Amino acid sequence: MRVLLTSFALASHYNCLVPLGWALTAAGHEVRVASQPSLTDAITASGLTAVPVGTDPELEEVREQPGAAMGPPRVHEDRDEPVTWEQALDFDTVIAPLLLAATNNTEMVDELVGFARGWRPDLVIWEPFTLAGAIAAEACGAVHVRALWGLDVLGSARRTFLDLRAQQPEAHWEDPVGEWLTLTLARYGRSFTEEAVTGRLTIDTTMPASLRLPVGVPIVGMRTLPYNGRSVQPEWLSEPPDRPRVCFTLGGTGAGFLHDWALGPAELVRAAAELDIEVVATLDAEQRAGLGEVPDNVRIVDFVPMNLLMPTCAAVVHHGGAGTFSAALLNGVPQLMIANTWDTPVKAKRLAAAGAGAYIPPPGLDPRGFRDALAALVHEPGPRAAAERLRQEMLTEPTPAELVPRLERLVAEHRAGAPAPQPALAEGALR
């Protein structure tokens, strides 16, 4: 069968799709990856075929959308009180222009639909910000599924919104997300249904079941196989550390969320270095300058693949990024999360509640509290045992290769008028 993967032009969103793309290719299916042009190099570096579509959304244009000046909206699970109708409507009013219309701009959607109608995929897999994938699938008659790279806060927000809207007078049934999708789908002669929001199936590529949000949509887990782009194993990583190793990283996106941190990365690295540990820190040039003289037990690197580093670590300190979070989970590594945006505070709280990590809101950072929290993760047995339980839970999920037959059956059952997808080799061909 033909499979089209779609992602917003951000490598951290795309990387979670790569192992599934490999598995589909290895099973003999044709795979293409469509995104805005700036992701093309990342796609081809992963060994998959890129289809550049439309134009990249200018960051300044996104920032000028309503609500963008305040940053991403606060997700519902990050509230201590029950969500009100006004809050649910406000969330959707911001999401529609900021995360949907701006990131799935007209040029991108039009060209993606054009490609899909010409290439005729049987299956479209889209990450949650790229509803253009759902629109293209609806426009060409393909089955489509979502692939999560984090908590399903958008699916949860949609369920909350619809539940609360049903309690309002019909005259006030505003629906910013539904209205945007209705207008967009109408351009291609299609009608809006809720399947355009959540897909026929959701694949969770990063979370063990016990950490997921109860969204109430069909979902299947997939074992995380961390992918970090082009990578080379550094020579020093071949030697076992002589003391507990701690990774400090902001990933590929965390440096953009430092505005409310009471302490900067360099200050936190200095505080961590006071412990009897080895610190491996990914810092840019400006952050390195703030560190001053590098302590003897600190190794500064530009980049190190998390899938290679994490098995050697006793703990990791990070901002909640999807790649670091899932790599730590897969390797049973306790996590100290300094999280302040989108789903990251919720992930941090749920991980801490499971006993496998700690959460410090960025404004609450102080050297002693940070150092004590990190020491507890490194030296106390409880966090490591809880992290190992989550690791074992993740290992029960199907691998990407094991998930492929499920997707083949889904297409065979639900694509109208389409022949059942055929495996690459007839049964017994390898005997």
Side-chain angles (χ1 to χ4, degrees):
M1 63 183 177
R2 290 181 168 181
V3 183
L4 177 62
L5 308 181
T6 62
S7 173
F8 174 52
L10 194 63
S12 58
H13 289 212
Y14 168 63
N15 288 349
C16 295
L17 295 173
V18 172
L20 187 54
W22 289 340
L24 287 158
T25 301
H29 301 298
E30 293 184 68
V31 176
R32 302 288 184 271
V33 183
S35 183
Q36 292 103 338
S38 62
L39 195 66
T40 298
D41 286 348
I43 296 169
T44 56
S46 72
L48 298 174
T49 301
V51 180
V53 289
T55 59
D56 290 289
E58 295 290 339
L59 289 180
E60 290 305 317
E61 291 180 10
V62 173
R63 294 191 183 108
E64 290 170 4
Q65 299 299 322
M70 298 179 291
R74 187 180 185 187
V75 302
H76 297 334
E77 287 75 16
D78 196 27
R79 299 181 182 277
D80 295 325
E81 70 285 350
V83 178
T84 67
W85 164 241
E86 289 74 17
Q87 290 168 336
L89 181 59
D90 286 348
F91 183 88
D92 269 33
T93 300
V94 172
I95 287 296
L98 181 60
L99 289 184
L100 302 185
T103 56
N104 299 268
N105 56 38
T106 300
E107 296 85 357
M108 186 259 201
V109 177
D110 282 347
E111 290 190 21
L112 183 58
V113 169
F115 173 76
R117 283 180 163 172
W119 193 57
R120 304 295 298 176
D122 301 287
L123 174 66
V124 177
I125 302 175
W126 49 278
E127 60 86 20
F129 281 15
T130 312
L131 269 74
I135 294 164
E138 296 282 342
C140 73
V143 176
H144 62 98
V145 303
R146 289 187 308 159
L148 303 177
W149 41 259
L151 289 173
D152 192 5
V153 292
L154 284 177
S156 176
R158 186 64 182 171
R159 187 188 69 169
T160 299
F161 176 85
L162 293 176
D163 288 347
L164 291 172
R165 191 184 70 160
Q167 303 170 27
Q168 312 307 312
E170 191 169 346
H172 297 289
W173 275 22
E174 301 98 328
D175 185 359
V177 170
E179 290 164 8
W180 177 76
L181 280 166
T182 296
L183 291 172
T184 305
L185 284 162
R187 297 210 308 264
Y188 315 110
R190 296 295 188 268
S191 299
F192 167 69
T193 68
E194 283 299 316
E195 192 169 308
V197 182
T198 56
R200 185 169 290 275
L201 178 71
T202 294
I203 303 170
D204 194 324
T205 71
T206 61
M207 293 285 170
S210 63
L211 294 184
R212 294 175 195 152
L213 299 177
V215 175
V217 299
I219 187 166
V220 60
M222 185 185 86
R223 188 183 307 174
T224 294
L225 295 179
Y227 170 73
N228 303 120
R230 293 187 181 94
S231 59
V232 176
Q233 177 161 322
E235 185 176 352
W236 59 266
L237 199 51
S238 300
E239 298 294 328
D242 58 7
R243 61 181 109 182
R245 175 176 287 162
V246 171
C247 169
F248 181 97
T249 180
L250 298 177
T253 58
F257 299 102
L258 300 177
H259 54 87
D260 64 346
W261 286 37
L263 298 175
E267 295 169 294
L268 294 177
V269 169
R270 280 200 300 270
E274 295 177 11
L275 299 172
D276 186 21
I277 60 175
E278 174 193 338
V279 180
V280 177
T282 59
L283 301 178
D284 62 27
E286 182 179 350
Q287 292 160 354
R288 292 184 193 192
L291 184 60
E293 184 176 351
V294 179
D296 292 339
N297 60 335
V298 174
R299 183 187 299 273
I300 305 297
V301 295
D302 291 315
F303 168 78
V304 60
M306 289 295 108
N307 59 318
L308 303 181
L309 175 63
M310 207 59 65
T312 72
C313 289
V316 57
V317 180
H318 66 112
H319 71 295
T324 305
F325 182 81
S326 58
L329 282 176
L330 186 65
N331 287 281
V333 177
Q335 307 180 48
L336 175 53
M337 295 174 64
I338 305 167
N340 66 344
T341 188
W342 198 238
D343 69 333
T344 59
V346 185
K347 284 195 299 190
K349 293 174 187 176
R350 293 175 80 84
L351 189 73
Y359 166 51
I360 302 179
L365 284 167
D366 70 84
R368 181 175 180 177
F370 168 78
R371 192 168 51 248
D372 289 349
L374 180 57
L377 293 185
V378 171
H379 297 298
E380 294 181 8
R384 172 66 69 168
E388 179 60 25
R389 287 194 295 272
L390 291 175
R391 164 181 151 77
Q392 293 301 321
E393 187 179 351
M394 292 188 78
L395 292 177
T396 66
E397 300 287 7
T399 65
E402 292 168 339
L403 190 59
V404 169
R406 170 76 181 266
L407 297 175
E408 292 171 341
R409 291 193 299 270
L410 185 75
V411 171
E413 292 167 2
H414 295 289
R415 179 149 193 210
Q422 298 298 312
L425 295 173
E427 187 175 354
L430 294 179
R431 295 175 186 168

